[in-house]
Amino acid sequence: MFKDCQGIPYPVFAKGVVTESAFVVGAIPFGSVSLLKVRLEQGSQEPAAGQFYMLHAIRSDVLLGRPISIYHSETKVDGSVELSFLILLKGKGTKELCSLEPGDKLNLIGPCGNRFPMPEKGKVLLIGGGIGVAPVAGFAETLTNVSYDFYASFKSGSYGLENVKAEKLVITTDDGSVGVHGMLPAALTEDVLREGGYSAVYACGPTPMLAYIQKICKAVGVKCWLSMEAHMACGVGVCLGCVIDTTEGKKRCCKEGPVFDGDILIFNPVTEVAGIKVQPRREPLAKDEEPDLSVNIGGVRLENPVIGSSGTFGFGVEYKTLFDVNRLGGISSKGLTLEPRQGNDGVRLHETPSGLMNSIGLQNPGIPHFIEHELPEMMALKPVAIANLSGSSLETYVEGAKLLDKTNVPIIELNISCPNVSAGGAAFGMTCVGAAQAVQAVRAVTKKPLIVKLTPQSHELEKVALSCIEAGADAISLCNSFQGIAIDIERGVPVFEKLKAGFGGPAVRPIAVRLVYEVVEAINKLPAEKRVPVIAIGGVATWEDAVEFIMAGASAVQVGTNTFANPNTMLEVIDGLAAFMKRKGYHNIEEMRGIIQK
């Protein structure tokens, strides 16, 4: 047993087994909150009220554990400890925890943090907001029955109050479904707090609620203890990512907290981040109104901004039996060269955590074959067909463009960024001179809208993009694959014949978002008539990812690697994007495009 001088247990690394997992009755909507019970090995210590654990499923798709407060704990007859957690379904990590079943195993770090200090005298008030009810209800179990009052505030429904034995229990709901109609201030005011004669207040919940509690406690002169939350990685005070602003400086939520003396906490409403103002609340669209997802790329209208990315989607028809490809906004063909290519030898694919490396080498049937066979099939589909044009020399780019110009393909995507070929490809896209030369040459032989696909490897990416626009590009797409190296450690050789290979997938998305933001920022400095749309590529796996790129300034997104993991990815992106826009009151893509641009 490891405890500090106040008897608060220190965190340890432990393994647990799920004994129960079920949706909590009373939480609205049903399925939004789960009760998870975990049995620890014999000899484990019980946590103190107010502490939390970092929970991480052993079979997991997320990097970090999630900090979850203790709702209930007890030592069993055999000496093992069973912990109960209430988990709000919020993101990927909590969804994973809510999906665990009895018998599943998980790793735990804990118990972490401090505890709610025991009352010194008199009656106290406990307050829980939403999932913040859990730790406060756990604290209530350590108090004498009816020695406290309890206020619980929810958006809708109520839960987590089974073990609360308060003298007075008040429930508020924003929708009026249970108890008092309204949020906490509808039931708890300065006057009510004063009349209660409480010696102290203990609370956990959303930050705005805690700020309100701090305010009325100061006005009445009542001590308050507030349990805070923050993003964290370690749970033991090392990463310094979970600091809370206080009058005594920044304090770690996982170490000096999560329970803080309310007198020292600083609640400053966030009105801007990185110099960018927080978006004002918009009214949702009317029930009978659907957002307009259409976008215009080089004068061509796409029904929505979701495009199957070149090299990952063939010519579109290959996926027809897997999902409704006709719902997509566009399809960018496999990279095409003037002559047929067999591509690279050796290993071509190598999976990494959150990513996929590839060294295909532009294997394709050649443009003449494409025009005769694959293009008619692409054109028979509803999405806008985009011919991805590559080459090994300026001459082959030009000859290929001449052939495509004679077809009915609506758009050409000029690929000057392929990382997996020995000649041409990314060599043109690395410099302003090379990029401009390639774009000018192709622009001279075709009047079709021209998207230029750029490499993230260029050290002057923004200047390259502007050079392409000046040379005649109608749109920019980025980023093509990043470059990486993989090593076969058993044989002591590189995985790929060409040593370096392209790398894509969720792991590259934050970098790709930055590059898209910076290129759009540079384009926005041009006169309005010279600005062109940017199509974002790089790790899109969910609709949230697409929204990120659009808010960074992209007009459309291409989805690549994640289609291999989940063929329905692009449909989920389209549906999620539409639902988000309707909920947030965006009538069209342009209303939210580039909102973080200064």
Side-chain angles (χ1 to χ4, degrees):
M1 293 289 194
F2 301 97
K3 297 184 179 181
D4 65 12
C5 57
Q6 297 178 320
I8 300 175
Y10 283 123
V12 297
F13 179 74
K15 294 186 180 295
V17 177
V18 176
T19 57
E20 182 180 339
S21 179
F23 292 131
V24 173
V25 176
I28 299 176
F30 182 72
S32 59
V33 177
S34 287
L35 171 66
L36 183 70
K37 292 187 178 181
V38 179
R39 184 75 64 93
L40 300 182
E41 55 218 0
Q42 292 184 3
S44 298
Q45 54 195 3
E46 278 199 59
Q51 290 190 293
F52 66 93
Y53 281 79
M54 301 292 291
L55 304 185
H56 198 188
I58 289 180
R59 290 183 297 177
S60 175
D61 288 328
V62 297
L63 175 64
L64 303 175
R66 297 299 190 261
I68 309 293
S69 297
I70 285 295
Y71 171 56
H72 175 77
S73 67
E74 58 182 279
T75 300
K76 298 295 185 178
V77 176
D78 63 358
S80 64
V81 173
E82 186 176 69
L83 307 173
S84 296
F85 304 92
L86 292 183
I87 303 176
L88 176 66
L89 181 57
K90 196 171 183 180
K92 190 174 181 180
T94 51
K95 181 179 181 180
E96 193 173 83
L97 294 174
C98 291
S99 300
L100 293 174
E101 297 179 352
D104 285 343
K105 297 180 180 180
L106 69 166
N107 294 324
L108 303 90
I109 295 176
C112 301
N114 60 9
R115 63 161 297 160
F116 287 112
M118 295 299 291
E120 296 181 0
K121 60 179 180 178
K123 192 174 186 178
V124 296
L125 174 62
L126 278 57
I127 307 170
I131 200 67
V133 158
V136 187
F139 178 50
E141 289 190 81
T142 68
L143 304 179
T144 305
N145 291 351
V146 303
S147 66
Y148 59 91
D149 290 341
F150 200 109
Y151 280 66
S153 184
F154 303 92
K155 286 185 177 180
S156 184
S158 69
Y159 56 87
L161 304 175
E162 295 80 6
N163 300 324
V164 172
K165 309 297 181 184
E167 181 174 353
K168 180 173 71 172
L169 174 62
V170 178
I171 300 174
T172 76
T173 52
D174 195 27
D175 64 357
S177 55
V178 180
V180 179
H181 189 173
M183 298 308 288
L184 184 66
L188 183 63
T189 63
E190 289 182 18
D191 290 339
V192 172
L193 185 61
R194 190 176 290 108
E195 291 166 5
Y198 304 111
S199 62
V201 173
Y202 301 83
C204 182
T207 300
M209 186 193 85
L210 297 182
Y212 172 75
I213 292 170
Q214 181 199 57
K215 177 183 175 182
I216 63 173
C217 284
K218 282 184 177 180
V220 175
V222 177
K223 189 73 175 177
C224 67
W225 299 94
L226 306 179
S227 180
M228 303 289 288
E229 67 172 4
H231 295 292
M232 59 183 68
C234 67
V236 295
V238 174
C239 72
L240 303 179
C242 64
V243 293
I244 299 291
D245 287 325
T246 78
T247 57
E248 300 173 359
K250 293 185 182 294
K251 292 186 177 291
R252 298 166 295 181
C253 191
C254 70
K255 197 71 174 176
E256 288 83 30
V259 180
F260 291 92
D261 181 340
D263 290 339
I264 70 169
L265 291 173
I266 298 174
F267 292 104
N268 288 325
V270 178
T271 58
E272 65 176 48
V273 179
I276 299 167
K277 291 184 178 179
V278 173
Q279 291 293 305
R281 185 180 182 278
R282 304 166 64 104
E283 289 299 320
L285 301 186
K287 288 185 178 181
D288 59 350
E289 183 180 6
E290 295 300 324
D292 179 7
L293 269 63
S294 68
V295 295
N296 187 296
I297 304 296
V300 178
R301 183 181 186 274
L302 279 63
E303 287 294 325
N304 61 68
V306 181
I307 302 169
S309 187
S310 174
T312 66
F313 206 61
F315 301 101
V317 294
E318 296 89 340
Y319 274 94
K320 278 201 314 184
T321 60
L322 301 188
F323 70 93
D324 185 5
V325 299
N326 284 320
R327 292 189 57 201
L328 305 183
I331 296 172
S332 184
S333 75
K334 181 72 185 77
L336 301 165
T337 54
L338 185 62
E339 71 291 344
R341 285 196 179 189
Q342 291 301 307
N344 293 334
D345 294 327
V347 173
R348 289 188 172 191
L349 296 175
H350 179 73
E351 187 177 0
T352 72
S354 295
L356 181 68
M357 298 183 73
N358 80 87
S359 182
I360 308 301
L362 284 176
Q363 178 175 337
N364 75 97
I367 291 175
H369 188 282
F370 166 76
I371 292 172
E372 184 176 354
H373 299 282
E374 287 82 14
L375 180 58
E377 292 184 317
M378 286 188 73
M379 295 300 297
L381 300 174
K382 290 182 180 179
V384 172
I386 303 169
N388 183 278
L389 170 63
S390 192
S392 54
S393 67
L394 205 56
E395 290 73 25
T396 57
Y397 272 116
V398 170
E399 292 305 312
K402 286 179 179 179
L403 293 177
L404 292 173
D405 187 64
K406 297 175 183 178
T407 71
N408 58 349
V409 70
I411 303 175
I412 295 174
E413 182 175 43
L414 179 59
N415 184 352
I416 54 173
S417 52
C418 181
N420 296 318
V421 292
S422 299
F428 285 107
M430 292 295 288
T431 66
C432 296
V433 173
Q437 186 181 24
V439 175
Q440 283 174 344
V442 171
R443 178 80 287 167
V445 297
T446 180
K447 292 183 172 59
K448 291 185 182 294
L450 195 61
I451 303 169
V452 181
K453 189 171 185 178
L454 300 181
T455 172
Q457 306 302 130
S458 173
H459 296 300
E460 47 182 7
L461 182 57
E462 297 153 56
K463 292 180 180 178
V464 168
L466 295 179
S467 296
C468 291
I469 295 170
E470 185 65 28
D474 297 296
I476 299 294
S477 60
L478 73 148
C479 308
N480 205 327
S481 298
F482 291 72
Q483 276 198 330
I485 293 176
I487 298 172
D488 181 336
I489 62 172
E490 294 296 332
R491 296 190 299 154
V493 296
V495 168
F496 296 104
E497 288 286 338
K498 290 187 175 295
L499 181 61
K500 298 177 182 179
F503 175 57
V508 309
R509 191 184 70 254
I511 304 172
V513 171
R514 174 181 65 83
L515 295 177
V516 166
Y517 172 87
E518 291 172 348
V519 167
V520 172
E521 186 179 38
I523 291 174
N524 285 344
K525 295 176 182 177
L526 297 174
E529 66 274 11
K530 289 190 175 183
R531 297 173 192 170
V532 302
V534 170
I535 301 171
I537 314 168
V540 175
T542 67
W543 65 264
E544 292 96 334
D545 302 338
V547 171
E548 263 198 274
F549 273 119
I550 293 169
M551 288 186 171
S555 295
V557 297
Q558 291 189 15
V559 179
T561 303
N562 214 73
T563 300
F564 301 142
N566 172 18
N568 284 319
T569 295
M570 285 186 278
L571 299 190
E572 293 171 4
V573 169
I574 294 168
D575 292 339
L577 183 58
F580 173 79
M581 291 172 66
K582 186 162 186 172
R583 173 169 60 86
K584 299 293 284 188
Y586 292 113
H587 296 84
N588 53 61
I589 296 293
E590 199 59 29
E591 284 187 353
M592 68 172 175
R593 189 184 71 81
I595 63 174
I596 73 159
Q597 291 285 337
K598 295 181 182 178

